[in-house]
Amino acid sequence: MAVLTDRPPAVATPARRRHAGRSLVSRVLGYATLIFFGLVFLYPFVIQLGNSFKTEPDASANPLSPLPDPLSLAGFERIFAGTNFPLWLGNSLLVTVLVTAGRVFFDSLAGYALARLRFRGRAWLFATVVAVMAVPPVVLLIPKFLVLNQLGIYNSYAGLVVPLLADAAGVFIMKQFFESVPVSVEEAARIDGASVFRTFWSVVLPMARPALITLTILSFQGSWNEFPHSLVAVQDPDLFTLPRGLADLVSGSLGKGSQYPLKLGAALLATIPVAIIFVVFQRYFVRDANDGSDKG
């Protein structure tokens, strides 16, 4: 049975029209502002891409033009034929894979210990980890060199890898995640006879996939782009990683001329692996760590 009401239909009053107009203008201005700053942010990358495919005279005459005229691959040919780029790439891949795997493993172990194990000095140790995060990395360069030299691993692959196998930020991320995991899950595993490490490895760690992926992305990006550490860890050109090698190129090791196509092409190639990793795993990057415990 239909119910009749005396309510009149909504009428677009002048006040409502003005409010809708202001809302539309605000939205358009907001999108226009975002697009503007987005273009400003992307412009240097477009310039890098365009200059990578230019000839040397064209890049020197029109460095801010994103369109190569003519299109040339001479810069990339010189990268692989006239520099040690393949060697730097191999060194960076080796160091980055080892450091990323080490950070994921050791940071997870340390984070779980600080979150679940009860031992004397635990609070003091965690406070030290947080304090280390506030120390500027440049302050540690000379102490790093002295320690590496005393340990006998200066100017070696071990010197590039070992000091980076754990970091305070990763420990902090994993500790915060493990504290969100219900204790009842671990108690059930211990009742079944699982040891502390078995509980960590087989029960808690598989639930930490969002945090582990975030840590993997940060570790890969940080170790791939690490320059200050390589500066004090090695001097042998055969041990240079990509950041160290690119810095050598920028400093003019190849002689005279701007050599924009070569330098920017090498920088473009060095950016690709990090971009691929981030694009593939970006949906996990900002995921709430509680998703892991909900799935468990």
Side-chain angles (χ1 to χ4, degrees), residues 163-179:
L164 303 179
L165 287 178
D167 70 320
V171 174
F172 180 82
I173 291 173
M174 297 309 299
K175 176 184 181 295
Q176 296 303 110
F177 174 84
F178 289 135
E179 287 184 341

Side-chain angles (χ1 to χ4, degrees), residues 84 112 176:
N84 288 327
Y112 184 76
Q176 296 303 110

Side-chain angles (χ1 to χ4, degrees), residues 19 21 25 33 50 53 89 99 102 143 156 198 233 256:
H19 177 73
V25 171
T33 302
F53 292 94
L89 179 63
V99 169
S156 67
R198 181 63 182 272
K256 299 180 180 179

Side-chain angles (χ1 to χ4, degrees), residues 27-43:
R27 187 177 304 174
V28 171
L29 289 177
Y31 282 121
T33 302
L34 291 176
I35 292 174
F36 172 76
F37 284 105
L39 292 176
V40 171
F41 179 78
L42 289 175
Y43 186 68

Side-chain angles (χ1 to χ4, degrees), residues 85-117:
F85 186 89
L87 175 64
W88 302 336
L89 179 63
N91 289 338
S92 283
L93 286 173
L94 176 63
V95 171
T96 300
V97 169
L98 293 177
V99 169
T100 301
R103 284 188 178 181
V104 170
F105 180 69
F106 292 117
D107 290 354
S108 299
L109 280 177
Y112 184 76
L114 291 172
R116 285 292 188 261
L117 303 184

Side-chain angles (χ1 to χ4, degrees), residues 200-216:
F200 159 77
W201 186 259
S202 301
V203 178
V204 181
L205 198 60
M207 299 167 60
R209 191 175 72 165
L212 290 175
I213 291 177
T214 299
L215 180 59
T216 300

Side-chain angles (χ1 to χ4, degrees), residues 125-199:
L125 183 59
F126 179 65
T128 303
V129 171
V130 175
V132 169
M133 295 172 58
V135 177
V138 67
V139 176
L140 303 177
L141 291 182
I142 295 179
K144 275 185 178 181
F145 168 76
L146 296 176
V147 171
L148 292 174
N149 198 31
Q150 289 296 319
L151 294 177
I153 58 175
Y154 173 73
N155 216 25
S156 67
Y157 284 109
L160 284 171
V161 174
V162 173
L164 303 179
L165 287 178
D167 70 320
V171 174
F172 180 82
I173 291 173
M174 297 309 299
K175 176 184 181 295
Q176 296 303 110
F177 174 84
F178 289 135
E179 287 184 341
S180 69
V181 176
V183 180
S184 58
V185 176
E186 301 169 69
E187 291 177 346
R190 293 194 181 98
I191 291 175
D192 291 338
S195 63
V196 174
F197 182 80
R198 181 63 182 272
T199 301

